[in-house]
Amino acid sequence: MTFRVLAGLAAALTLAAPAAAQDAPRWAFAIHGGAGVIERADLSPEQDAAYRASLSRALEAGAAILRDGGSSLDAIQTAIQIMEDDPLFNAGRGAVFTAEGRNELDAAVMNGRDLSAGAVAGLTTTRHPIAAARAVMEQSPHVMLIGQGADTFAAAQGLEQVDPSYFFTERRWRGLENFLRERNLPIPARPAGAPAPGMASLEPAPPLNERKFGTVGAVALDQSGTLAAGTSTGGTTGKRWGRVGDVPVLGAGTYASNRDGCAVSATGDGEFYIRATVARDICTRIAAGASSEAAGQAEVDDALSLGGYGGVIVVDANGVPGFAMTTSGMYRGAVTSTTPASVAIYADED
């Protein structure tokens, strides 16, 4: 397990002391684009640069909102929608395929001020699942909607609907074919509306055998002191039977609480993150006096002890972002009102 604070943020950890509270950042923002076996030798310089550029673009979009006094929820939704539209990430366009050859999308968002939350699972036609999750939170009496009903609700709220082929990417389809061949499982017909084989570019995609827990997420503290968290994912390659992971399960993959003083978005083996209630327990540990670092480390280690790998991003009430992972890499970035933006990929980057 490693826990990393990005360059320029380490000094901010001292803000956790009560004497320095008046100097705490007025806002803070952190994002991730998934964790996994991500080695320098596996990414070409062009691929490395593409991921860093995409992370920087999403990070700055969220930071601009917070810098101007906007809400943590708006910053999170804006950044995540950018990553949902980016085929480099396993969320929205670029999501992995189920064993049946479908893209089924999950997302969740939580407002730490009042513990309101919204979650969706198994979307197939809503362009931005994170927007659907927020609509569930703000425009329905419910917390979680699934499947066709969730898409129907999103459409009724005026959220953009797309043909399922919009989410198709060639490298994710080839990844599914490889996954099914290795397990002697049948390969479904190529989805309707997908480009013909050889017509879609694979670049700047990483190698197809990359083992990555593809999820995107963001956590934020805004100038009003409101913490929030959001997460979006395409799930796992070859998932079956309507499988749902930790992302839309509040307290497992997503959680925020002003009372506890933290916001968390996770990426990893969802089944284990659900069993370890990773996101909620991080907040509980912080409320009991643990630092973000200690809380993050303890919880990803709990998931690891059960057999699950992955990582988390955390922002505490003092505006200090932190990152924990049990993998060799996690696409990530952070910025606060007192520290410059920084992005990283590999676990050994400070």
Side-chain angles (χ1 to χ4, degrees), residues 4-328:
R4 303 287 179 188
V5 178
L6 291 183
L9 295 175
L13 290 173
T14 58
L15 297 174
Q22 68 271 21
D23 298 323
R26 292 183 298 112
W27 57 265
F29 192 53
I31 63 172
H32 72 78
V37 181
I38 307 167
E39 305 284 357
R40 284 181 174 82
D42 293 335
L43 292 181
S44 69
E46 293 77 15
Q47 291 164 346
D48 181 292
Y51 271 107
R52 293 180 192 272
S54 293
L55 290 168
S56 295
R57 184 165 57 250
L59 188 65
E60 174 52 30
I65 291 171
L66 296 172
R67 192 180 294 121
D68 290 342
S71 75
S72 51
L73 288 168
D74 286 346
I76 284 167
Q77 181 177 339
T78 297
I80 289 179
Q81 286 186 177
I82 288 172
M83 292 188 283
E84 285 175 337
D85 284 341
D86 192 328
L88 286 176
F89 302 108
N90 175 18
R93 183 169 179 259
V96 299
F97 287 90
T98 69
E100 291 73 35
R102 292 158 48 95
N103 303 112
E104 296 181 356
L105 313 173
D106 307 337
V109 67
M110 188 164 185
N111 184 341
R113 183 167 293 279
D114 59 8
L115 302 186
S116 58
V120 291
L123 298 181
T124 60
T125 62
T126 301
R127 177 176 175 178
H128 291 127
I130 194 65
R134 186 170 179 183
V136 171
M137 177 178 70
E138 296 179 342
Q139 305 298 329
S140 87
H142 307 302
V143 172
M144 182 184 290
L145 301 180
I146 65 171
Q148 182 177 346
D151 278 320
T152 299
F153 169 79
Q157 299 305 309
L159 299 182
E160 184 178 357
Q161 301 296 294
V162 296
D163 186 89
S165 63
Y166 167 81
F167 302 111
F168 180 94
T169 57
E170 189 67 32
R171 76 175 177 106
R172 297 300 190 191
W173 182 254
R174 293 191 186 182
L176 174 66
E177 291 179 327
N178 292 341
F179 177 91
L180 296 175
R181 287 192 189 99
E182 289 171 358
R183 291 158 179 78
N184 294 315
L185 294 173
I187 297 174
R190 194 175 178 89
M199 297 299 293
S201 173
L202 296 179
E203 294 299 328
L208 290 175
N209 65 353
E210 172 199 45
R211 183 170 181 244
K212 182 169 77 70
F213 307 117
T215 300
V216 303
V219 292
L221 173 71
D222 64 27
Q223 293 186 38
S224 76
T226 299
L227 288 156
T231 319
S232 181
T233 187
T236 59
T237 298
K239 62 183 180 180
R240 303 176 69 187
W241 310 298
R243 178 264 187 189
V244 176
D246 64 306
V247 164
V249 179
L250 298 171
T254 309
Y255 199 78
S257 169
N258 279 23
R259 179 184 59 199
D260 293 340
C262 82
V264 180
S265 175
T267 170
D269 285 312
E271 282 71 16
F272 298 98
Y273 274 49
I274 293 171
R275 290 161 59 190
T277 58
V278 166
R280 179 67 178 90
D281 285 357
I282 288 174
C283 290
T284 299
R285 290 177 187 272
I286 289 175
S291 68
S292 295
E293 178 175 352
Q297 177 173 345
E299 287 306 314
V300 293
D301 282 347
D302 269 357
L304 180 62
S305 73
L306 297 174
Y309 289 81
V312 295
I313 59 173
V314 184
V315 165
D316 67 19
N318 290 320
V320 180
F323 304 84
M325 68 198 81
T326 55
T327 56
S328 60

